[in-house]
Amino acid sequence: MTVNAELYAEVQQFYANQMRLLDNLKIEDYAATFTPDGWIEHAHRNERAEGRATMIAGMYAALPRYKGVVVRHWYDHLVIEPSDGDSLKVSYYTLVTRVDKEGHVVFEPTFTVDDVLVRINGVLHTKSRYIVKDTPTD
Amino acid sequence: MTVNAELYAEVQQFYANQMRLLDNLKIEDYAATFTPDGWIEHAHRNERAEGRATMIAGMYAALPRYKGVVVRHWYDHLVIEPSDGDSLKVSYYTLVTRVDKEGHVVFEPTFTVDDVLVRINGVLHTKSRYIVKDTPTD
Amino acid sequence: MTVNAELYAEVQQFYANQMRLLDNLKIEDYAATFTPDGWIEHAHRNERAEGRATMIAGMYAALPRYKGVVVRHWYDHLVIEPSDGDSLKVSYYTLVTRVDKEGHVVFEPTFTVDDVLVRINGVLHTKSRYIVKDTPTD
């Protein structure tokens, strides 16, 4: 099935804005791009933050890890599937860079992410985000 | 010339799905995204696989190279040009990551790829893929 | 606000073509994708090239830095905002690779870029490009 071009552009813009908030550590604004009951699960460390308040607390606790570096999340290969009602399943690849003061770039492992997006008053929000670290099977 | 937005989104979705098959080593399913007489040429090693059966055999032979790593192909800067009849010329950049069990990421050289896409029963398939390793001229 | 899908695809194609010119060192052709009075500013080194002739001279002067490597500029997370009249504000992430003859890849620091695009006879051109090196605040 071919995704509608308007929806494709809208989803891309949604993530472009959402990642700017995350990468610039606008923690509350980033959390507000999720539904109030939204959740993020890091499957590889069996960790799940449910609801905006929990997300925000977790991100503040993790801030020391980002001292002295600028993080950027790079997306690719979005597969967008309209799901029941007004919701969308979106799957994508993520590459994460960290650059320090001297301009040296290091990479986190690659990830594959599965989101569910829904609309609140017509505006896309993330309802759930399931993050899998790409790990060899053998 | 400006490419039609619907076509742009369709081509992006085609590659998003095709790369998932390749990167997850769904070898037969990946080969099925090519036309039956489709071919892949690696110009830099003067190697050409013609037809799905040859592709599949070549990929199985190469599998040991992918033991213990997860490969991801990242695309950028697609230039899409409708060609004669129903076919499309698509050119793009490729960055290839390999991540091991410990999450360490290494990069293959960058590549520039030229595809020809055609429709079979309305569905896009790759008719040819010409892969050039980015190499300094001097 | 949601960007129009046709505009989204057009802007993506514009950059895909513009980066091919830059990365393949087609210096005059790259400069011609800017307005005659266009400018590029590298904020982190307080350096600004105004007008096509200045850009071209600067790029020829920088050529020795690119000897023996192929550079590729990777874009992500375009945020496109129609601005006054026919002009567009476009912001995006950039990752820059350099690959040498042996296929070894090194990365420049990551950047965030703010462009203004305008139309000349219906065709997009860059009027200004403001490049910020991603730098930790502390």
Side-chain angles (χ1 to χ4, degrees):
Chain A
M1 198 207 48
T2 300
V3 72
N4 176 280
E6 295 295 337
L7 187 62
Y8 184 80
E10 183 184 5
V11 169
Q12 289 278 11
Q13 295 286 293
F14 170 70
Y15 285 123
N17 283 299
Q18 189 186 48
M19 286 305 105
R20 266 169 186 73
L21 298 176
L22 175 62
D23 289 339
N24 295 316
L25 304 174
K26 309 283 186 198
I27 292 178
E28 287 80 4
D29 293 339
Y30 173 68
T33 65
F34 285 76
T35 59
D37 64 343
W39 53 263
I40 302 177
E41 182 163 341
H42 288 86
H44 49 289
R45 39 180 208 251
N46 204 18
E47 189 185 295
R48 183 167 168 154
E50 252 189 274
R52 289 175 182 167
T54 310
M55 277 180 211
I56 290 169
M59 290 175 74
Y60 273 106
L63 272 184
R65 270 195 267 151
Y66 300 100
K67 210 171 151 55
V69 295
V70 179
V71 176
R72 293 289 179 253
H73 288 79
W74 308 82
Y75 279 29
D76 201 21
H77 293 316
L78 274 72
V79 174
I80 302 172
E81 289 176 28
S83 186
D84 48 291
D86 214 19
S87 83
L88 304 173
K89 290 160 75 171
V90 188
S91 169
Y92 49 90
Y93 287 14
T94 308
L95 186 67
V96 185
T97 54
R98 292 167 177 248
V99 61
D100 66 13
K101 209 170 180 170
E102 286 72 38
H104 185 64
V105 178
V106 296
F107 291 85
E108 296 188 12
T110 58
F111 296 90
T112 305
V113 183
D114 286 292
D115 277 6
V116 173
L117 305 184
V118 297
R119 288 180 196 281
I120 301 179
N121 300 326
V123 179
L124 290 175
H125 287 71
T126 305
K127 188 180 173 58
S128 63
R129 174 159 296 169
Y130 186 79
I131 304 171
V132 176
K133 187 170 80 153
D134 296 331
T135 305
T137 43
D138 45 303
Chain B
M1 197 208 47
T2 300
V3 72
N4 176 281
E6 294 297 336
L7 187 61
Y8 183 81
E10 183 184 5
V11 170
Q12 289 278 11
Q13 294 287 291
F14 170 71
Y15 285 123
N17 283 300
Q18 190 185 47
M19 285 305 106
R20 266 170 184 73
L21 298 176
L22 176 61
D23 290 337
N24 294 316
L25 304 173
K26 308 284 186 197
I27 292 178
E28 287 80 4
D29 293 338
Y30 173 68
T33 65
F34 285 75
T35 60
D37 64 344
W39 54 263
I40 303 177
E41 182 163 341
H42 289 84
H44 50 288
R45 41 179 207 250
N46 205 18
E47 189 184 295
R48 182 167 169 154
E50 254 188 273
R52 288 175 182 167
T54 310
M55 278 181 211
I56 290 169
M59 290 176 74
Y60 274 105
L63 271 185
R65 271 195 266 151
Y66 300 100
K67 209 171 153 55
V69 295
V70 178
V71 176
R72 294 289 179 252
H73 288 78
W74 308 81
Y75 279 27
D76 201 21
H77 293 316
L78 274 72
V79 174
I80 303 171
E81 290 177 27
S83 186
D84 48 291
D86 213 19
S87 83
L88 304 173
K89 290 162 73 172
V90 188
S91 169
Y92 50 90
Y93 288 13
T94 308
L95 186 67
V96 185
T97 54
R98 291 166 178 249
V99 62
D100 66 13
K101 208 170 181 170
E102 285 73 38
H104 185 64
V105 178
V106 296
F107 291 86
E108 296 189 12
T110 59
F111 296 90
T112 305
V113 182
D114 286 292
D115 277 7
V116 173
L117 305 184
V118 297
R119 288 181 196 280
I120 301 178
N121 299 328
V123 179
L124 290 176
H125 288 72
T126 304
K127 187 180 173 58
S128 64
R129 172 159 297 168
Y130 186 79
I131 303 171
V132 176
K133 186 170 80 153
D134 297 330
T135 306
T137 44
D138 43 306
Chain C
M1 197 208 49
T2 300
V3 73
N4 177 281
E6 294 297 336
L7 187 61
Y8 184 81
E10 184 184 5
V11 169
Q12 289 278 12
Q13 293 287 292
F14 171 71
Y15 286 122
N17 283 300
Q18 190 187 46
M19 286 305 105
R20 267 172 183 71
L21 298 175
L22 175 61
D23 290 338
N24 295 317
L25 304 173
K26 307 285 186 196
I27 291 178
E28 286 80 4
D29 293 338
Y30 173 68
T33 64
F34 285 75
T35 61
D37 64 345
W39 53 263
I40 302 178
E41 182 164 342
H42 289 85
H44 50 288
R45 40 181 208 252
N46 204 17
E47 191 185 295
R48 183 165 167 155
E50 253 189 274
R52 289 176 182 166
T54 309
M55 277 180 213
I56 290 169
M59 290 175 74
Y60 273 105
L63 271 185
R65 270 195 266 152
Y66 301 100
K67 209 171 152 56
V69 294
V70 178
V71 176
R72 293 289 180 252
H73 288 77
W74 308 81
Y75 279 28
D76 200 21
H77 293 316
L78 274 71
V79 174
I80 303 172
E81 290 177 27
S83 184
D84 48 290
D86 214 19
S87 83
L88 304 173
K89 290 160 74 172
V90 188
S91 169
Y92 49 90
Y93 288 14
T94 309
L95 185 68
V96 185
T97 54
R98 291 165 177 250
V99 62
D100 66 13
K101 208 171 181 168
E102 284 73 37
H104 185 64
V105 177
V106 295
F107 291 85
E108 296 189 13
T110 59
F111 297 90
T112 305
V113 183
D114 286 292
D115 277 7
V116 174
L117 305 185
V118 297
R119 289 180 195 281
I120 301 179
N121 300 326
V123 180
L124 289 176
H125 287 71
T126 305
K127 187 179 173 59
S128 64
R129 174 158 297 168
Y130 186 78
I131 303 170
V132 176
K133 187 170 79 155
D134 296 330
T135 306
T137 44
D138 43 304

